Amino acid sequence: MASFRIGQGYDVHALADGLKMWLCGVRVESARGFVAHSDGDVAIHALCDALLGALALGDIGKLFPDSDPAYRGIDSKILLSRVMELVRGRGGSVVNADITIALQAPKLAPYILQMRETLASVMGVDAGAVSVKATTTERLGFVGRGEGCEVWAVVLVSV
Ligand code: MG
């Protein structure tokens, strides 16, 4: 009989001028991007931690340490596909994922469908199983001041 495991993940990256902005595997047009050792895809990082959390497999900081030059500038979709290999290796399959991105600017609405499709294709699930939501924080806090981006991810894994 199948059993279910829930996982949640959280990540924050700082924003700085002149850097690229990648979110959910999609390049977002922005004059500011994420400060990071990898491509800075804070949404994929939160999703990876949710997947790892569901099966108590640790976290991406442990799996892909930012002290390792192998991960410098790496496409976070590669990290997600490696995490999915671990999940499948434990007999897990993703039932659904739900991601909330808090970012003051730019507006992400034009990118949401592509983000869902991109993540679904890397995870090998239907786009209907992947939800991506975006919100501002009404100019409050570090997100509201445009200093960074905060992402929460929840996944359900069937094992
Ligand atoms: Mg990160």
Side-chain angles (χ1 to χ4, degrees), residues 4-84:
F4 296 97
R5 304 281 299 236
I6 194 168
Q8 68 100 27
Y10 169 75
D11 199 18
V12 171
H13 277 254
L15 284 159
D17 290 337
L19 297 175
K20 290 185 176 123
M21 181 180 285
W22 286 92
L23 279 170
C24 298
V26 174
R27 175 77 197 279
V28 173
E29 280 304 318
S30 170
R32 288 161 72 70
F34 298 122
V35 179
H37 184 72
S38 67
D39 66 2
D41 194 325
V42 55
I44 287 189
H45 298 174
L47 177 58
C48 285
D49 267 356
L51 289 162
L52 293 169
L55 296 179
L57 294 173
D59 59 66
I60 57 166
K62 197 154 65 183
L63 242 60
F64 313 114
D66 62 9
S67 54
D68 187 337
Y71 302 118
R72 193 180 162 82
I74 195 169
D75 180 344
S76 292
K77 292 189 282 297
I78 295 169
L79 305 182
L80 178 58
S81 64
R82 290 195 194 158
V83 166
M84 283 303 303

